[in-house]
Amino acid sequence: MSIISQDAPGKTVLLMGNEAIARGALEAGIKVCAAYPGNPSSEITGSLSGVADEFGLHVEWSVNEKVALEVATAASFAGLRGLCTMKQNGLNVASDFLLNLNLSGCEAGLVLVVADDPGALSSTNEEDSRAFAKLGDFPLLEPATFQEAKEMTKWAFDLSEDLGLPVLVRTVTRVSHARGNVLLDELPRLTKKPLFDTSKPRVALPVLLNHELLRDKLRRAGEVFETSPFNFFRGPEKPELLIITCGSGWMYSLEAVINLDLSERVGILKIGTTWPLPEQMVLNHLKKVKHVLFVEEVNPFLENSVKEFFAQNCGDLGVKRFSGKASGTLPDIGELSPDIVISRLQDILKVSYEPLPAEYALRAKEISAQLVPERPLGFCAGCPHRATYWAIKNALALDGRNGFVAGDIGCYSLGMGPSGFSQMKTLHAMGSGAGLAGGFGQLNAFGFDQPVIAVCGDSTFYHAVMPALTNASYNKSNLLLLLLDNSATAMTGFQPHPGTGKTATGHEAPILDLEVICKALGAQVEMGDPFEVEGTTETILRLLQDVEGVKVLILRRECALVRGRTQKKLFNMEVEQDLCLGEKCGCNRLCTRVFKCPGLIWDTIADRAGIDEAICTGCGVCADICPSLAIRKEVV
Amino acid sequence: MAFQKDPFNVIIGGVGGQGNVIASQVLGRILLQKGYVITIGETYGASQRGGAVMSHLRISAKDQFSPLIPEGQCDLLMALEPVEGLRILGQYGNPAVISLVNTRPIHPIEIISGQTPYPDVQEVLRKIGELSKEVWALNATEIALEMGDPIFSNMVMLGAFSTFEMLEIDLHGFEQAIGGLLSSERLSENLEAFERGRMAVEKR
């Protein structure tokens, strides 16, 4: 039984923030959940997919975020509660639909959970998705704890239904991907026949009328927020400093106040309903203080809202000092932490903080800097992408025209770093590698002669590469796309997609064949195995040099982690110590210095390569690249 | 109460793929059953791709603490890899920290490629000792490999961890906590790993 489906009201369990959101949706009686995976949001829909059959839900991994939101919205239109989840970048994809949906409104509760990634720990940007709440006039909730993640999600459905408007829940990595105590509530088992009321067309037109209705709905949300239990104050009646915070900033602020023993001097106003602002409540607290510090992740969203409101009311409020991101008090890029908040409170209130002897701290940092090597991210041992980039690197070198890779979003984005031999030179949004490569392909007429290789993963292909490929074919571009098919959405946790033959809930689905689709989109298609390094190199070189038009090379090899879950190693690997010539070989230690698979080790004393049996997955690729044939692979 | 301070802070660190997330979850579940308020934070992004990873556990009788431990405030450390232990102590160590170390190194790419050497493991353990009140150690990977799969090393380490009395972990609590989290087909192997870790750990 899944932890989120326990029918045990009153029981406390340890839930990840994302699981708590999923549980909240279950307690709210959702019937449909649709999403495209993306960290830090993936486990919400991931955990719901595991209980879908048990609860009679429809849960799907949609091909992209816009479609996902449309699927969840259809449920709402027909009277069933719908949930849609995504990461911050996904909201950009969904935004075209979203910014019309505000005008049409919704029927049953419709909640869009967006997980932001402050510090871009697993993203290509650290976008603050809260801007969309203001842009589209959506009520916005921000959970600060795991319990709140559940309660808020559950309540968001009621609020959405009351207003007839989708509600945004914005969470961040440190809430979504952390775990904590969550007290469970009742699980409803409702049955309701869906029906679309044709007397109430769901259209944005007439725009001005609907826009006025939308503004009214938002005003009503503001009134409801005034008494929300998600907004509360902790501290003395008249604090020297008022912290206004939301989301993960709450736990950091609390930690800082406790560590500095400031609970008699500093008050914390925690706001859970961050848009529209609960104005009267904020006003009441502003009246009592002279100095306010805003603690929130990424943009000064709450900070600017409060300051705008203050500008309207400053006549009654007197002079205030505002500190936050705009004043430079807190960093306006990157992630916050308890240490950052502690240090700013120390500066503001002139208090000392010494959690450990200074000489120890200095010594510990010195020793660590002296002895601890860096450990950068890289492709896993046995990852097909390392072999692919090896082939790309060699093909581009043989071609000799200063070619490069136009990258895309997935594990293979690591191709810009050392474990992809730094071949990737552009990286933006889902599908942008193929889009850019199609654009470079149009520049030949102007004398552009650098070969460009677009790469994309299998899931990314369905998400956003298909339009780019269609465009390249139609507009007669020259394009070489390497479709790195590892049979999973690997970066985000191995979710299935239309090429895998499985749905989110593990049921059989028709396989939408990549080869057939690419051909239908006008491409010349070839198939390859990235582990056949030499053959792949030759194919890439030939496609770069010989053929004009749109070409797709599908390189198929299952993700090593997916494979490792169910199957044994392909090969037992061994280095024949007599055959390995070490530094004298003349290969420049191709296996370890150049190819650098973490499954290999280099014995500096023996001057020989070796295999780390705790890491090696037995893919056999290193045996193929060793010029001395010292690395042996033996079929298991 | 078994813990001398509140919150009591535990860090489990190692290399992506070593199972620090599962180990922290099992420990968190055991402590939750005892009535504590638990927060677990994870360094993220590197979880399966060979980077340095950490889980932060906050154990409190009253408050839900943040998923990030402030610098210098680690009370108990489980290092699944030796230099990762030292890396964590550099930021989160203090003179009262108790450390448990898996002595088996995993070489980062820069070591494999020969740009820089891996430090002598005995030297690393000595330095961890210098920065800790107590150091306990075992080769958990070796034990797991003897059992046929390096995947068990995190459970070997949990067994070793259970010898610290303030955690109050026994085999029964461990068995309950892994139920529904780890494959039931491998239950007996996980229990064996736990027991072997318990037996093998030695104070240095």
Side-chain angles (χ1 to χ4, degrees):
Chain A
M1 187 182 59
S2 159
I3 193 161
I4 67 158
S5 67
Q6 293 187 49
D7 199 358
K11 185 179 176 187
T12 299
V13 292
L14 187 65
L15 290 188
M16 183 190 239
N18 280 342
E19 292 168 338
I21 291 169
R23 172 74 187 198
L26 277 183
E27 290 182 4
I30 62 153
K31 286 293 172 200
V32 172
C33 171
Y36 186 80
N39 292 333
S41 75
S42 309
E43 297 80 2
I44 306 169
T45 297
S47 55
L48 284 169
S49 70
V51 303
D53 289 351
E54 187 185 343
F55 283 83
L57 314 180
H58 172 73
V59 178
E60 69 170 50
W61 290 120
S62 308
V63 296
N64 67 36
E65 292 84 354
K66 178 171 175 281
V67 179
L69 184 58
E70 287 153 353
V71 168
T73 301
S76 163
F77 284 174
L80 303 180
R81 289 186 164 185
L83 173 70
C84 181
T85 71
M86 57 189 63
K87 70 180 294 175
Q88 79 276 9
N89 311 74
L91 189 52
N92 304 331
V93 177
S95 65
D96 197 5
F97 177 66
L98 185 71
L99 295 181
N100 287 284
L101 178 60
N102 53 356
L103 294 175
S104 78
C106 66
E107 187 64 36
L110 176 61
V111 175
L112 171 55
V113 178
V114 184
D116 283 1
D117 186 13
L121 305 175
S122 53
S123 302
T124 51
N125 70 18
E126 56 168 350
E127 174 179 331
D128 190 326
S129 62
R130 295 179 296 177
F132 280 94
K134 278 192 183 177
L135 189 62
D137 291 332
F138 293 102
L140 174 69
L141 307 178
E142 293 189 65
T145 64
F146 317 99
Q147 185 70 39
E148 255 194 12
K150 178 178 86 72
E151 302 306 330
M152 236 177 215
T153 306
K154 188 176 168 185
W155 183 65
F157 285 94
D158 291 340
L159 178 67
S160 164
E161 222 156 83
D162 289 348
L163 297 170
L165 187 63
V167 171
L168 297 189
V169 175
R170 184 244 197 178
T171 166
V172 292
T173 309
R174 298 297 173 194
V175 174
S176 275
H177 269 170
R179 290 184 161 81
N181 294 41
V182 175
L183 179 67
L184 302 181
D185 230 319
E186 306 272 343
L187 287 172
R189 310 249 176 181
L190 309 167
T191 46
K192 187 179 175 191
K193 186 176 183 301
L195 178 77
F196 183 89
D197 183 351
T198 48
S199 73
K200 285 202 293 190
R202 292 288 173 187
V203 290
L205 307 175
V207 172
L208 295 189
L209 177 66
N210 282 327
H211 202 177
E212 191 181 359
L213 287 174
L214 175 61
R215 297 284 194 201
D216 284 343
K217 288 175 182 177
L218 198 69
R219 265 188 291 277
R220 264 199 289 138
E223 285 160 24
V224 173
F225 288 174
E226 291 291 352
T227 55
S228 165
F230 299 124
N231 306 325
F232 58 81
F233 176 79
R234 175 160 161 169
E237 180 57 25
K238 279 203 165 247
E240 282 173 58
L241 177 75
L242 176 69
I243 296 177
I244 299 185
T245 186
C246 61
S248 52
W250 155 250
M251 285 190 281
Y252 301 156
S253 301
L254 183 66
E255 180 107 38
V257 167
I258 291 174
N259 268 282
L260 298 172
D261 198 15
L262 287 171
S263 52
E264 299 301 316
R265 295 175 66 190
V266 176
I268 309 176
L269 178 59
K270 201 283 287 182
I271 299 188
T273 65
T274 44
W275 187 254
L277 209 56
E279 294 182 341
Q280 195 56 47
M281 189 217 183
V282 170
L283 186 70
N284 292 342
H285 285 280
L286 283 180
K287 279 177 183 163
K288 294 178 197 165
V289 295
K290 291 202 165 73
H291 190 176
V292 178
L293 172 68
F294 296 95
V295 179
E296 63 188 314
E297 294 284 16
V298 190
N299 287 347
F301 178 88
L302 192 53
E303 177 175 350
N304 288 344
S305 301
V306 171
K307 280 161 62 178
E308 278 171 25
F309 172 69
F310 174 78
Q312 292 285 339
N313 294 277
C314 55
D316 307 325
L317 287 170
V319 178
K320 304 285 176 202
R321 184 173 158 207
F322 292 113
S323 300
K325 289 173 185 281
S327 64
T329 310
L330 285 165
D332 64 354
I333 58 161
E335 215 188 0
L336 294 178
S337 68
D339 287 303
I340 293 175
V341 183
I342 288 171
S343 112
R344 298 315 185 268
L345 281 190
Q346 258 191 288
D347 295 346
I348 292 172
L349 295 164
K350 312 277 181 264
V351 286
S352 65
Y353 172 66
E354 215 174 294
L356 72 166
E359 62 271 25
Y360 174 98
L362 195 68
R363 178 92 186 108
K365 283 200 165 45
E366 265 174 22
I367 290 176
S368 164
Q370 232 170 43
L371 284 179
V372 180
E374 283 191 41
R375 198 182 287 276
L377 293 188
F379 294 129
C380 305
C383 175
H385 297 324
R386 179 179 292 101
T388 298
Y389 278 106
W390 181 256
I392 290 174
K393 171 184 144 78
N394 290 333
L396 287 175
L398 288 168
D399 176 86
R401 288 177 293 160
N402 195 20
F404 60 94
V405 171
D408 221 301
I409 307 298
C411 288
Y412 48 91
S413 300
L414 290 172
M416 66 186 180
S419 81
F421 319 108
S422 306
Q423 298 298 298
M424 179 183 286
K425 303 298 180 189
T426 72
L427 178 62
H428 302 84
M430 295 283 283
S432 294
L436 281 170
F440 284 120
Q442 299 291 5
L443 302 181
N444 301 5
F446 304 98
F448 183 81
D449 61 358
Q450 291 168 272
V452 180
I453 299 174
V455 295
C456 80
D458 34 350
S459 189
T460 305
F461 178 81
Y462 297 105
H463 181 289
V465 173
M466 284 168 63
L469 203 58
T470 310
N471 187 66
S473 292
Y474 171 58
N475 288 302
K476 297 187 177 176
S477 183
N478 298 320
L479 173 80
L480 173 58
L481 170 68
L482 302 195
L483 211 171
L484 315 181
D485 180 7
N486 63 357
S487 310
T489 317
M491 189 77 174
T492 51
F494 323 110
Q495 293 84 0
H497 60 65
T500 60
K502 290 277 179 213
T503 66
T505 49
H507 297 287
E508 298 284 320
I511 293 175
L512 302 186
D513 192 288
L514 290 169
E515 191 178 354
V516 174
I517 295 174
C518 290
K519 281 182 180 160
L521 297 181
Q524 175 199 319
V525 183
E526 296 195 28
M527 305 296 293
D529 175 356
F531 283 179
E532 302 288 335
V533 176
E534 217 167 295
T536 303
T537 308
E538 284 165 16
T539 308
I540 295 172
L541 185 63
R542 173 168 52 77
L543 290 171
L544 280 176
Q545 295 192 328
D546 295 351
V547 193
E548 295 237 317
V550 175
K551 297 144 280 175
V552 177
L553 173 60
I554 300 175
L555 292 172
R556 184 163 288 156
R557 188 48 91 158
E558 198 173 20
C559 165
L561 296 176
V562 172
R563 197 181 178 283
R565 288 174 168 189
T566 53
Q567 296 164 60
K568 284 192 180 151
K569 287 179 177 183
L570 286 174
F571 302 104
N572 279 326
M573 304 302 297
E574 199 189 344
V575 179
E576 287 269 352
Q577 297 294 302
D578 297 344
L579 292 179
C580 175
L581 304 176
E583 292 283 7
K584 293 196 199 79
C585 176
C587 72
N588 187 28
R589 284 179 43 198
L590 195 57
C591 59
T592 46
R593 186 173 287 142
V594 187
F595 189 61
K596 293 192 272 207
C597 176
L600 292 159
I601 45 178
W602 185 260
D603 185 336
T604 42
I605 295 161
D607 187 34
R608 293 288 181 274
I611 304 291
D612 186 336
E613 57 175 329
I615 307 287
C616 174
T617 62
C619 72
V621 171
C622 58
D624 296 342
I625 66 169
C626 174
S628 303
L629 307 177
I631 306 179
R632 293 281 180 84
K633 57 182 184 187
E634 182 194 317
V635 178
V636 176
Chain B
M1 196 182 103
F3 296 107
Q4 286 175 349
K5 62 189 275 286
D6 193 318
F8 188 81
N9 300 322
V10 180
I11 297 183
I12 300 180
V15 179
Q18 281 195 296
N20 72 306
V21 173
I22 291 286
S24 69
Q25 239 178 301
V26 173
L27 184 57
R29 283 181 166 208
I30 293 171
L31 293 161
L32 184 106
Q33 284 165 3
K34 295 179 190 294
Y36 291 107
V37 183
I38 306 296
T39 308
I40 308 176
E42 281 145 21
T43 52
Y44 196 70
S47 52
Q48 286 179 309
R49 288 161 193 96
V53 290
M54 259 193 298
S55 295
H56 288 192
L57 257 95
R58 321 295 303 274
I59 306 157
S60 171
K62 42 185 199 279
D63 269 313
Q64 188 88 61
F65 277 85
S66 97
L68 297 172
I69 295 172
E71 292 197 3
Q73 294 196 29
C74 175
D75 299 309
L76 192 56
L77 166 69
M78 179 198 288
L80 297 167
E81 204 276 353
V83 294
E84 292 312 316
L86 208 47
R87 188 192 311 278
I88 292 164
L89 288 176
Q91 198 173 359
Y92 297 97
N94 64 75
V97 67
I98 297 174
S99 302
L100 169 71
V101 186
N102 177 10
T103 56
R104 168 64 145 77
I106 293 178
H107 288 186
I109 291 182
E110 316 252 294
I111 308 280
I112 295 169
S113 67
Q115 282 161 275
T116 161
Y118 191 96
D120 175 59
V121 174
Q122 291 310 316
E123 171 73 356
V124 172
L125 291 172
R126 263 196 302 279
K127 294 295 182 191
I128 290 177
E130 219 178 279
L131 296 173
S132 309
K133 187 176 150 204
E134 290 174 19
V135 181
W136 297 73
L138 73 162
N139 189 331
T141 311
E142 193 60 46
I143 293 171
L145 284 170
E146 276 170 26
M147 290 181 59
D149 196 332
I151 203 163
F152 294 116
S153 45
N154 58 348
M155 296 301 132
V156 174
M157 289 294 281
L158 271 177
F161 224 37
S162 72
T163 57
F164 297 136
E165 283 175 2
M166 78 287 256
L167 293 173
E168 296 182 286
I169 307 176
D170 56 22
L171 188 67
H172 177 67
F174 172 73
E175 187 175 346
Q176 271 195 318
I178 61 175
L181 195 62
L182 302 175
S183 156
S184 54
E185 287 161 27
R186 303 191 97 171
L187 175 67
S188 65
E189 284 165 297
N190 280 314
L191 295 180
E192 185 194 335
F194 184 88
E195 275 303 299
R196 289 181 72 161
R198 217 180 149 81
M199 302 306 291
V201 66
E202 282 176 357
K203 189 171 179 184
R204 291 180 65 97

